[in-house]
Amino acid sequence: MSLAWELLKRETALAWGRGGGPLVSAGFYLGVATLLPLAAGPEPARLAAVAPGVAWVTLALATLLGLDRLFERDYEDGALDLLTLSPLPLEFVCALKCLGQWLATGLPLALAAPITEIALGGSPALAPLVLISAMIGGLAFAFAGGIGAALSLGARRGGLLTAVIVLPLFTPPVIFGGGALDAFASGLPWGAGFVLLCAYATAAIALGPLAMAAACRNALS
Amino acid sequence: MISAPAFLSNPERFMAFSRWAAPLFGATAVLLAVTGLWLGFTAPEDYQQGDTVRIMFIHVPAAWLSMFAYICLGIASFLSLVFRHALADAAAKSAAPLGAGFTALALVTGSLWGRPMWGTWWVWDARLTSVLVLFLFYLAYMALRSALDDEAKAARACAILALVGLVNLPVVHWSVNWWNSLHQGVTVFAKGGPKMAPVFLVPLLLMVLAYMAAFGALWLVRIRGEVWRRRADAALSRLART
Amino acid sequence: MLDLEFGKYEGFIWAAYGISALVFVLLTVASLRFSAHWKRQAEQLKAQEDARS
């Protein structure tokens, strides 16, 4: 168990170093929040209408930051070889890597999400739901994204490739989370979308590591 | 271990089989398409869709084939992953560009039908969105193929991606369906699908069969090319060694 | 009766059929050329190997 704890600490620290941490995510959100009114027009009504959706889709895109380095770095310096020899099953190691990625980038992004939503003129009442769904959605994004990162190991142009593989996988969680936020904003029952988001995150956590471990073994063979 | 049918797992037998099967499928496709199109263009105009019903004869088969090709791709990937058949991998690799082509056709002809009928090129309906995501999957599959240099690794990585996609697609379809019920968008499709008169249904089915035969013929041709390419690769490395 | 008068929908129908035909032609030509090219290559290399041994 202490082994797993050490590994989680290592992964979190590494993820922090490769584009994680509150500064980068806050900066990314700030950038989007600045660019959006410049691109879409500054009318408050229009901005307020799209604010939750923008905060949500920004989260999905921001998860791509650093994702291509999730396995790549360990693959290049041989640490991934060592990890396959560890007593922990590779599936569990992959899950820990994704969890570390989420702790270092997903959580700060989730904290920045409601701020962006309010800054763009969205309703403050929506902020808690934005925060919670950003946290759970971040988990789903990290574990689904890990599949793309593991598959593009050893590929040329790994970074863009990961994005192309991962974006179709992001469709359901983006829909569920966006649906919940939209329903809440218009005073409709929002539970269904939220529960579905949780279900997708659970499925991604359960099945994602299997695919990631298979892809890692293949890349190392 | 269960073994796949011999004519599919043994390259020699496959080459002997596909040698006459590919032209046969091609000829069948042409024959079916000519009959289907003749019946389709002699059919009366639909009372609701007017002449645009004729786009259905090429749109529905393309949409059907976009899914069918993906199922073929998924099964071939599964076989290549489990049994490590080189031929299954060649089949999976060859299905991807064909599937992408059919998916693109389904999207374009659907738009061309939707514009006069719904007054818009595109709606965010469950079917349309799933087909779009399907198209993205084909692109991702081909991109992954071309980005990995080691063929054996590319084969397995792509097979894993294909299986992930096979799981994800129904979820996407279902999620867009759910999202649509939330937004109460354009209700385009009647419950249980649009009812078609036999005068349209017969040419439509003929065209579906024609598309499937065409896909079969092109698929076999591409797999044959892939087998030759691997033989040439193997011969080249043998020549380089001596 | 063969009906090729589509009235106001003419553009859409011809475009749909035209694009479909184009994609089919492209797919067929590409597949046949790919297959023929590698068949030639494989046979040439085979002949080279046989000549060496």
Side-chain angles (χ1 to χ4, degrees):
Chain A
M1 207 55 232
S2 66
L3 200 61
W5 178 242
E6 287 303 318
L7 187 62
L8 181 61
K9 276 202 289 196
R10 168 187 183 269
E11 292 304 333
T12 312
L14 278 178
W16 195 281
R18 67 168 176 248
L23 262 180
V24 178
S25 48
F28 189 83
Y29 260 114
L30 194 67
V32 171
T34 316
L35 284 179
L36 182 81
L38 296 176
E43 293 88 347
R46 186 190 297 177
L47 283 181
V50 296
V54 167
W56 184 234
V57 95
T58 308
L59 176 78
L61 295 179
T63 320
L64 294 172
L65 293 174
L67 196 62
D68 53 316
R69 300 293 290 165
L70 179 58
F71 291 99
E72 192 85 16
R73 182 197 175 110
D74 285 351
Y75 174 72
E76 277 164 4
D77 66 10
L80 199 58
D81 276 300
L82 294 178
L83 286 173
T84 56
L85 298 175
S86 86
L88 297 171
L90 189 56
E91 283 80 4
F92 190 60
V93 172
C94 291
L96 281 179
K97 282 181 96 64
C98 291
L99 193 62
Q101 169 84 2
W102 177 72
L103 284 174
T105 62
L107 266 187
L109 282 170
L111 292 175
I115 302 173
T116 310
E117 186 256 335
I118 293 173
L120 285 173
S123 146
L126 203 55
L129 187 62
V130 172
L131 178 66
I132 298 284
S133 25
M135 280 163 74
I136 292 166
L139 267 177
F141 292 143
F143 276 79
I147 299 176
L151 280 174
S152 51
L153 271 183
R156 289 170 274 129
R157 308 186 306 268
L160 258 181
L161 185 66
T162 308
V164 172
I165 293 176
V166 155
L167 285 177
L169 296 176
F170 280 6
T171 318
V174 165
I175 289 174
F176 293 144
L181 292 178
D182 209 43
F184 187 92
S186 43
L188 294 166
W190 48 273
F194 185 70
V195 169
L196 288 170
L197 179 66
C198 296
Y200 188 91
T202 316
I205 292 168
L207 299 177
L210 299 178
M212 279 182 251
C216 286
R217 284 202 191 93
N218 174 47
L220 292 170
S221 63
Chain B
M1 201 180 257
I2 324 148
S3 59
F7 74 99
L8 285 179
S9 57
N10 177 336
E12 293 302 327
R13 293 233 195 127
F14 170 79
M15 293 307 264
F17 157 79
S18 59
R19 199 186 158 79
W20 55 266
L24 187 70
F25 276 163
T28 315
V30 171
L31 212 67
L32 284 168
V34 168
T35 323
L37 286 178
W38 175 260
L39 286 178
F41 279 99
T42 49
E45 289 174 19
D46 186 71
Y47 73 100
Q48 267 182 329
Q49 302 181 19
D51 264 315
T52 52
V53 73
R54 309 203 199 284
I55 294 180
M56 282 289 132
F57 301 138
I58 48 173
H59 169 66
V60 174
W64 168 253
L65 258 288
S66 66
M67 300 280 176
F68 183 74
Y70 199 84
I71 293 169
C72 291
L73 175 68
I75 292 172
S77 300
F78 179 76
L79 290 177
S80 101
L81 205 58
V82 175
F83 301 113
R84 305 207 174 206
H85 285 152
L87 206 54
D89 174 54
K93 182 181 180 185
S94 312
L98 298 175
F102 283 117
T103 314
L105 273 186
L107 288 170
V108 171
T109 53
S111 268
L112 285 167
W113 181 84
R115 178 67 204 157
M117 281 298 101
W118 307 332
T120 167
W121 297 102
W122 184 262
V123 282
W124 290 99
D125 160 86
R127 290 194 211 192
L128 278 75
T129 313
S130 326
V131 173
L132 186 63
V133 173
L134 182 64
F135 188 60
L136 293 179
F137 250 117
Y138 279 121
L139 292 187
Y141 184 91
M142 291 193 284
L144 186 60
R145 257 300 165 185
S146 64
L148 291 167
D149 288 324
D150 183 319
E151 284 224 20
K153 281 185 186 176
R156 290 180 72 73
C158 286
I160 295 168
L161 176 63
L163 292 185
V164 169
L166 213 51
V167 174
N168 193 53
L169 265 182
V171 182
V172 170
H173 185 89
W174 191 81
S175 66
V176 187
N177 234 340
W178 172 82
W179 178 74
N180 241 6
S181 70
L182 199 75
H183 283 250
Q184 298 176 343
V186 206
T187 40
V188 169
F189 298 100
K191 261 218 162 72
K195 285 169 205 70
M196 267 215 166
V199 69
F200 300 123
L201 202 58
V202 172
L204 185 69
L205 287 177
L206 283 174
M207 287 305 283
V208 169
L209 290 175
Y211 268 54
M212 286 178 80
F215 169 71
L218 290 172
W219 198 21
L220 288 176
V221 168
R222 290 195 86 92
I223 301 174
R224 285 169 70 79
E226 193 59 31
V227 170
W228 275 316
R229 192 181 66 77
R230 284 168 197 210
R231 283 186 187 167
D233 264 8
L236 201 62
S237 57
R238 279 198 302 272
L239 276 171
R241 237 182 290 138
T242 52
Chain C
M1 252 327 271
L2 193 62
D3 174 13
L4 292 176
E5 292 296 316
F6 305 131
K8 58 181 173 172
Y9 302 130
E10 201 175 40
F12 297 108
I13 294 176
W14 284 120
Y17 275 87
I19 290 167
S20 298
L22 185 73
V23 168
F24 265 101
V25 168
L26 285 179
L27 280 179
T28 311
V29 169
S31 304
L32 287 174
R33 279 187 56 167
F34 170 78
S35 169
H37 171 79
W38 287 110
K39 185 182 183 183
R40 243 191 348 267
Q41 292 278 325
E43 279 164 359
Q44 268 175 17
L45 288 164
K46 188 91 180 62
Q48 266 185 43
E49 264 189 304
D50 291 345
R52 279 223 201 159
S53 58

